[in-house]
Amino acid sequence: MTMNQDVAALIAAYREVLAQADHWFDDAATALGPMLGCHIGCCDCCRGLFDITVPDAVVLQMGFHRLDAGWQQRVLRRCRERRDLLQQQWPELQAPYLLNHLHDRPWQTMPERDATPCPLLDDDGCCLVYAWRPLTCRLHGLPQVDHDAEVFSDDCCPYNEEAVYQSTSGVQRGPFRQIFTREAQLIRRVNQLLTGRDLYELDTFIPLALMIDFSDPDQWAQPVDTARL
């Protein structure tokens, strides 16, 4: 994957944000102990469609291109099948496969009953690009409470509820205001470099992210509904 140096520098900074999220989750999981439901091979949360940011898509591709040719072909076949189904619903969903210009579409609340596995799962239900997965994948499963007690998310995976409920100290707090503030800054700067416009949000789905051509500037000239951003 070819990127200009400015985008590459921003992605390096974004990966520091991802590492910060990993550090919190690892510490929280250790504190909660063996009752925690998250474990290698559990992929019940890796179903359906997740919208991710453009920096997440770039990082995801970095991991994807490290897979061997056989796995790349299998994953891309799954992604193309998913794209074809989405285009039946949204014919205007074309490269670079951004969601924000889809007018009056409920893409932000896709049906929870969608049990389609993530295309990046291997035959054992493990993530093929675990070290390169999006931020939403890294934070999923535990409530997100900032050091100052502000609750950014109270969602908890059902498999983790017992561990959280029985913990005397609760879920470990983390630097979520810092994480999300820095994330927003980097998203905006990457979007601006790619599109030439000051856009706070550009989103795609995980299967679509692997088919984006970041080396083709002409793709990024497509209209984007800035009223939604």
Side-chain angles (χ1 to χ4, degrees), residues 77-137:
R77 183 167 61 250
R78 298 169 182 173
C79 291
R80 293 185 184 111
E81 290 172 354
R82 193 64 157 151
R83 177 201 58 192
D84 293 346
L85 289 173
L86 288 169
Q87 287 179 332
Q88 291 179 22
Q89 181 177 2
W90 299 320
E92 67 270 37
L93 183 58
Q94 302 294 328
Y97 305 116
L98 302 176
L99 305 175
N100 308 78
H101 70 291
L102 303 178
H103 296 275
D104 300 321
R105 305 291 187 176
W107 59 268
Q108 291 176 309
T109 55
M110 296 297 289
E112 293 185 5
R113 64 180 178 273
D114 183 358
T116 306
C118 176
L120 284 161
L121 293 178
D122 69 11
D123 296 332
D124 297 318
C126 295
C127 180
L128 289 163
V129 291
Y130 188 79
W132 311 87
R133 68 200 188 284
L135 182 61
T136 186
C137 303

Side-chain angles (χ1 to χ4, degrees), residues 84-193:
D84 293 346
L85 289 173
L86 288 169
Q87 287 179 332
Q88 291 179 22
Q89 181 177 2
W90 299 320
E92 67 270 37
L93 183 58
Q94 302 294 328
Y97 305 116
L98 302 176
L99 305 175
N100 308 78
H101 70 291
L102 303 178
H103 296 275
D104 300 321
R105 305 291 187 176
W107 59 268
Q108 291 176 309
T109 55
M110 296 297 289
E112 293 185 5
R113 64 180 178 273
D114 183 358
T116 306
C118 176
L120 284 161
L121 293 178
D122 69 11
D123 296 332
D124 297 318
C126 295
C127 180
L128 289 163
V129 291
Y130 188 79
W132 311 87
R133 68 200 188 284
L135 182 61
T136 186
C137 303
R138 297 167 193 261
L139 295 178
H140 180 78
L142 293 175
Q144 299 156 25
V145 184
D146 196 77
H147 289 308
D148 66 1
E150 181 178 358
V151 178
F152 282 83
S153 173
D154 58 2
D155 290 341
C156 184
C157 173
Y159 296 157
N160 295 334
E161 287 178 350
E162 186 174 1
V164 172
Y165 177 76
Q166 294 198 14
S167 172
T168 56
S169 59
V171 176
Q172 181 165 314
R173 296 180 181 183
F176 292 104
R177 179 177 290 104
Q178 180 182 354
I179 287 174
F180 295 136
T181 298
R182 184 60 173 151
E183 178 200 22
Q185 292 170 345
L186 292 168
I187 289 171
R188 184 179 181 184
R189 292 174 66 187
V190 170
N191 292 346
Q192 187 174 40
L193 282 175

Side-chain angles (χ1 to χ4, degrees), residues 4-22:
N4 70 47
Q5 292 183 346
D6 291 333
V7 173
L10 293 175
I11 295 303
Y14 186 71
R15 292 191 65 195
E16 294 176 2
V17 174
L18 298 179
Q20 194 174 16
D22 282 345

